[in-house]
Amino acid sequence: MTDHYGAAAVRPLTLAWVSRYLEAGERVVGIEALHGGITAEMRRLTVGTRDGGTRDLVLRTFVDVEHAEDWLNREAGALTLLTGTGVPTPGLVAADPAAAQCEYPSLLMTHLAGRTVLDDEGLETRVPLLARQLVAIHALRPAERPRKYVALTTADTVVTPKGADTAAWAAAIDVIRKPAPSYQGRFLHRDFHPGNVLFEVPTQSLAGPWITGVVDWAATSWGPADLDVAHCSTNLALLHGPMWGLRFAEAYEEAGGVPAAAASERLYWRVRDGLAFSEEVQLVSQPWREAGRTELTTRAVEKRLDAYVTALMDALG
């Protein structure tokens, strides 16, 4: 879902900064605000070329966001690292993480074809594609590892939803009171979910959908593969129902992914991620409604989260 704005949508200093990275004779001729993100302003910039054609770039700006410089430095580093790996990512054009030249910390990158798909229709086809893509990301072995993952949720910050299965939630909270299990480190996206994956979905073809890009690499980390699996699983459970959260974990293994061997270890990471969503249900569900999933009210998502946490405790607890 997009809205159209005039050139004033990009602040003057930032627009001047963008212009420095265009080819001679090029200029920004159109700006489109992209919705779906939570922390950053995203805009597609249409650039008029010297031959009369156009090309697109994407501008990512953090306005009054804590740790913006760190996030953009990490994203710029990840995009550089991922060049030529086969993982479909935007190409880095320029970055101003400290807002030395722009009004706010900003990053300019190439535009990828495709779109995010959050509908229930066709999910049984997309889930295996998501799983295979995540396995490919975890297979990367960078010469320089990104920093260790950060998990901010604690047993004391979990917000049990109104009407939730209190026994299941109490048991789940007890799970994350324990020390984190040992793990074999992997390259993590750390925010891998359907909202950060672009698909091409043909409408008049027998061919199925395919992934055209993976975006938002600001949280790139080193840690357990189960953490990425857990995060995508929770998102799928809240978007489409608890069974799809459980199904994604299965699809990841079917695609060749290697989760923790012990059920108790898998439970730790999946419960930890699920409980993390309890603190920000309203924040994460709003972009889904803006994208057309208007039925996903805060209350509806809380109910799905409760059902998913309960299902995890039943399946792995």
Side-chain angles (χ1 to χ4, degrees):
M1 179 179 178
T2 56
D3 290 332
H4 296 272
Y5 294 89
V10 175
R11 298 165 184 86
L13 291 178
T14 302
L15 189 59
W17 174 75
V18 168
S19 298
R20 296 188 194 110
Y21 294 94
L22 303 182
E23 299 293 333
E26 292 187 333
R27 63 188 181 92
V28 175
V29 297
I31 299 170
E32 188 176 26
L34 305 175
H35 292 290
I38 295 176
T39 56
E41 292 182 357
M42 301 290 294
R43 292 179 176 85
R44 179 166 60 189
L45 310 181
T46 300
V47 177
T49 59
R50 293 178 61 183
D51 61 4
T54 61
R55 66 187 181 97
D56 291 333
L57 297 173
V58 173
L59 175 66
R60 180 173 170 88
T61 301
F62 286 95
V63 178
D64 299 328
V65 175
E66 190 178 6
H67 308 305
E69 181 176 357
D70 177 54
W71 285 359
L72 286 186
N73 273 319
R74 292 168 74 178
E75 181 154 32
L79 294 182
T80 301
L81 172 70
L82 290 160
T83 300
T85 62
V87 175
T89 59
L92 177 66
V93 176
D96 184 17
Q101 301 176 68
C102 303
E103 286 87 350
Y104 296 100
S106 300
L107 184 143
L108 188 65
M109 54 191 151
T110 59
H111 176 264
L112 297 176
R115 60 184 177 87
T116 56
V117 183
L118 304 181
D119 301 330
D120 290 337
E121 183 179 358
L123 186 60
E124 66 281 354
T125 302
R126 297 195 306 276
V127 163
L129 297 178
L130 288 168
R132 287 198 289 272
Q133 184 62 74
L134 189 56
V135 170
I137 291 170
H138 291 166
L140 296 175
R141 298 292 181 268
E144 182 177 347
R145 292 181 180 179
R147 69 189 63 186
K148 182 182 176 182
Y149 77 93
V150 174
L152 301 178
T153 302
T154 70
D156 297 325
T157 58
V158 173
V159 180
T160 303
K162 181 180 179 181
D165 183 330
T166 54
W169 277 72
I173 291 170
D174 282 343
V175 168
I176 68 167
R177 290 189 191 279
K178 303 171 186 176
S182 59
Y183 60 86
Q184 183 175 6
R186 291 286 184 267
F187 183 84
L188 305 181
H189 182 283
R190 196 60 183 94
D191 195 19
F192 186 86
H193 61 81
N196 282 333
V197 178
L198 305 177
F199 283 90
E200 194 69 54
V201 184
T203 56
Q204 297 180 340
S205 170
L206 295 178
W210 64 92
I211 291 175
T212 58
V214 181
V215 299
D216 193 353
W217 294 85
T220 303
S221 308
W222 187 262
D226 286 89
L227 199 52
D228 267 353
V229 174
H231 193 62
C232 191
S233 294
T234 305
N235 275 273
L236 287 167
L238 302 188
L239 277 166
H240 307 292
M243 64 173 286
W244 288 105
L246 300 176
R247 172 67 189 119
F248 181 74
E250 296 173 350
Y252 178 80
E253 290 191 66
E254 292 167 1
V258 182
S264 61
E265 295 174 350
R266 299 194 299 273
L267 177 66
Y268 177 90
W269 299 113
R270 292 174 200 174
V271 163
R272 180 154 204 160
D273 191 84
L275 296 182
F277 274 74
S278 74
E279 303 171 38
E280 51 187 18
V281 170
Q282 183 174 358
L283 185 64
V284 300
S285 60
Q286 182 177 339
W288 296 341
R289 292 193 293 275
E290 292 175 352
R293 297 295 304 275
T294 55
E295 79 281 11
L296 294 179
T297 63
T298 299
R299 184 62 187 136
V301 175
E302 283 180 338
K303 289 181 178 179
R304 284 190 173 180
L305 179 59
D306 175 36
Y308 178 56
V309 170
T310 301
L312 283 175
M313 296 305 297
D314 289 343
L316 296 172

